[in-house]
Amino acid sequence: MTDQAPAPYAGNKRVLSGVQPSGDLHLGNYLGALVKFARLQHEMETFIFVADLHAITAWQDPKKLKQQVREIAAAYLATGLDPKVATIFAQSAVPAHAELAWVFNCVARLGWLDRMTQFKDKAGKHKERESVGLYTYPVLQAADILIYKATHVPVGEDQRQHLELTRDIAAKFNHDFDAEGFFPLPEALTQGPGARIMSLRDGSVKMSKSDPSDNSRINLTDDADAISQKIRKARTDADVLPEKLEDLAGRAEALNLIGVYAALSQRAAQDVLSEFAGQGFGALKPKLADLAVSVMGPIGGEMRRLLADPAEIDRILGAGAERARAVAAPTLAEVKKIVGYWGE
Ligand code: TRP
């Protein structure tokens, strides 16, 4: 039984995206991803999953992983994803992702993966100690997308390279197996006001769940006091705010706070800047804190409410997985036929 019905959507456009259950979600994830998912679900058929296969490319405590998945699911629901409209599920509940990833491991070239900057960033100096999974991570990501023949993938700027790899894999599969047009070449949707939210402590690095300083980010579950305090403590400079956006060049922290303000209030950055032109951060910060509390506060509250009933989240994820498996099955069956494998 499933209570999920496909949404009305434009042509054969399909959205797919996912977030890893490996750490608390923050303002950057909210503005850069979750808000977009909730909006897109009404424009195209939408699949949003929790990337728990990807999560174990770095160690995850098995006793905690399911709860981490529920937390991401609660964040999806709290920001407005509707399980009656979008298909919401855990990646590990749909085996076709991993099966297709194997075939793609044999399509992708080592040279392609050697160029992936996210692997280099994550592995750092000791890449020989990383899991093989971390290296082939973007191949699994391609499988996530193409198993549903998704055409549009809302992601952060840092995922653009993985989307290019996905297109390369799709094109090479189609070409090598004489299956022209079988897989679509999906597009990354990276634009939008929340595309790049920076750390509150250092305007030159992205807001990140792996930053050791909790003050660098606003977590989705932070209460009003924590949100206000983090904004009050956010790093700034001593100058007043200028009239024009161009004049913020070189002032990364100031630019970031104006960007956050604009994204949270759904206004243009220039419009926000004009309001504060000639004033310092003493004027901006209290207003930004109030705004952030009014937008983020209710989301944290809704997440806590949803997480108090884990059985209901599990039911939603279960129904989503059932629907996802049904959509993935014919693609996988076709792939097996194309490759020359034994089918069912
Ligand atoms: N790599 C993505 C991230 O870290 C998460 C992800 C996994 C994903 N598979 C995906 C995003 C497929 C979009 C589509 O943000």
Side-chain angles (χ1 to χ4, degrees):
M1 278 285 287
T2 164
D3 60 0
Q4 308 210 352
Y9 61 96
N12 45 12
K13 291 182 182 171
R14 207 174 247 175
V15 167
L16 175 129
S17 196
V19 171
Q20 283 196 65
S22 50
D24 288 339
L25 290 180
H26 53 69
L27 182 67
N29 305 118
Y30 171 72
L31 293 171
L34 306 192
V35 172
K36 288 188 198 164
F37 301 168
R39 183 168 41 78
L40 284 163
Q41 69 183 332
H42 301 297
E43 294 169 24
M44 299 178 210
E45 189 185 15
T46 296
F47 292 79
I48 302 292
F49 68 100
V50 186
D52 56 352
L53 296 183
H54 280 105
I56 70 160
T57 55
W59 175 253
Q60 302 298 326
D61 183 344
K63 290 197 253 352
K64 295 188 183 149
L65 189 54
K66 272 202 180 118
Q67 187 59 19
Q68 288 166 205
V69 170
R70 289 187 190 109
E71 282 172 19
I72 304 292
Y76 288 160
L77 298 168
T79 48
L81 267 183
D82 178 351
K84 292 201 177 65
V85 177
T87 300
I88 306 166
F89 60 100
Q91 189 186 23
S92 62
V94 186
H97 290 236
E99 276 192 80
L100 183 59
W102 175 255
V103 174
F104 284 174
N105 269 327
C106 302
V107 172
R109 304 290 95 182
L110 278 176
W112 300 357
L113 288 185
D114 280 340
R115 286 195 285 275
M116 294 295 117
T117 56
Q118 183 165 299
F119 175 79
K120 289 180 203 165
D121 292 347
K122 284 194 179 172
K125 280 193 216 119
H126 296 289
K127 75 178 168 84
E128 64 284 355
R129 287 189 209 156
E130 290 298 337
S131 70
V132 175
L134 187 68
Y135 189 68
T136 63
Y137 178 117
V139 176
L140 176 59
Q141 184 164 350
D144 298 334
I145 297 165
L146 294 171
I147 193 71
Y148 304 102
K149 298 191 176 180
T151 53
H152 293 79
V153 186
V155 279
E157 204 46 67
D158 62 327
Q159 294 296 307
R160 196 171 265 291
Q161 198 184 31
H162 290 171
L163 259 292
E164 274 156 28
L165 183 88
T166 301
R167 296 162 66 90
D168 289 344
I169 290 174
K172 185 164 165 59
F173 179 96
N174 291 351
H175 174 267
D176 289 0
F177 291 100
D178 244 337
E180 229 32 70
F182 181 73
F183 283 122
L185 306 189
E187 239 179 81
L189 300 176
T190 53
Q191 301 83 354
R196 219 167 142 70
I197 302 295
M198 312 309 279
S199 156
L200 297 178
R201 307 297 306 156
D202 177 354
S204 69
V205 300
K206 245 183 62 164
M207 187 176 285
S208 159
K209 45 191 163 197
S210 53
D211 194 312
S213 164
D214 194 56
N215 281 328
S216 70
R217 64 185 158 259
I218 295 171
N219 301 304
L220 246 51
T221 47
D222 281 346
D223 61 20
D225 279 351
I227 297 172
S228 314
Q229 245 192 62
K230 286 175 180 180
I231 289 179
R232 232 180 302 129
K233 286 192 187 146
R235 189 167 147 192
T236 49
D237 54 43
D239 289 346
V240 295
L241 288 156
E243 302 270 349
K244 293 216 169 70
L245 217 46
E246 303 89 86
D247 297 328
L248 278 181
R251 295 174 66 184
E253 284 83 14
L255 194 59
N256 187 42
L257 290 187
I258 294 290
V260 168
Y261 202 117
L264 283 173
S265 58
Q266 300 179 341
R267 288 164 60 190
Q270 178 58 63
D271 184 38
V272 172
L273 188 58
S274 303
E275 183 184 328
F276 292 100
Q279 303 181 68
F281 292 94
L284 178 100
K285 280 182 169 181
K287 286 207 169 142
L288 178 56
D290 286 350
L291 172 64
V293 167
S294 75
V295 177
M296 308 295 286
I299 292 169
E302 179 63 2
M303 277 180 71
R304 280 186 283 278
R305 191 189 68 75
L306 289 160
L307 286 165
D309 185 2
E312 174 61 7
I313 297 180
D314 294 1
R315 195 194 60 75
I316 290 169
L317 289 174
E322 195 174 324
R323 193 176 136 61
R325 283 192 296 264
V327 175
T331 310
L332 187 65
E334 269 299 301
V335 166
K336 286 179 153 184
K337 216 157 73 193
I338 290 171
V339 172
Y341 278 164
W342 259 262
E344 296 292 287

